[in-house]
Amino acid sequence: MLTELLQNALQHGLVTGPGPAPAGSVLVEAARGPGELKVRVEDNGAGLPEGFSLDAHASLGLQIVRTLVESELGGQLAIRPRPGGGTSVRVSLPVKAIAVPSGQPKPGDADSARDSGASENPAAAGKAATG
């Protein structure tokens, strides 16, 4: 899904500048909140065609993204003109909490490496053990 959105932003959104590289930029932002993951992909390029509608104008790639987001993952997809020019794509996906047995470190828990005796820096751990 993200690959297709980025490819569209680079291929269709950014226009060719005076040099060999495209002019413009692409912003990718992801944030997890209670029960959901939000992803935003924005470019400041050419923007959407006049009267763009995901139902009528979307490429095969965008239709696949829409099917994946809405039908397979139960999320929402919105594609709109970006204020100031370009395109803004927002994806919202439901996320279920992962149940972790009591006494087990949670994934991504900073204390989990310390509690297990592992070092956060394997190279430093090797030096400390040998030196």
Side-chain angles (χ1 to χ4, degrees), residues 2-97:
L2 187 55
T3 301
E4 182 64 31
L5 295 176
L6 288 171
Q7 181 177 341
N8 275 348
L10 293 171
Q11 185 176 1
H12 302 293
L14 302 182
V15 294
T16 303
S25 62
V26 176
L27 168 75
V28 178
E29 187 175 78
R32 183 172 176 171
E36 74 177 335
L37 172 66
K38 291 185 177 185
V39 178
R40 178 173 63 141
V41 177
E42 290 188 351
D43 68 67
N44 62 352
L48 296 167
E50 187 74 28
F52 175 84
S53 161
L54 188 56
D55 292 329
H57 297 98
S59 66
L60 178 60
L62 283 180
Q63 288 299 334
I64 292 170
V65 168
R66 182 180 188 184
T67 299
L68 177 64
V69 168
E70 295 177 354
S71 299
E72 299 295 322
L73 300 174
Q76 297 175 339
L77 173 67
I79 302 175
R80 297 185 177 101
R82 181 179 165 269
T87 303
S88 175
V89 179
R90 294 177 187 249
V91 177
S92 177
L93 301 171
V95 177
K96 294 180 182 177

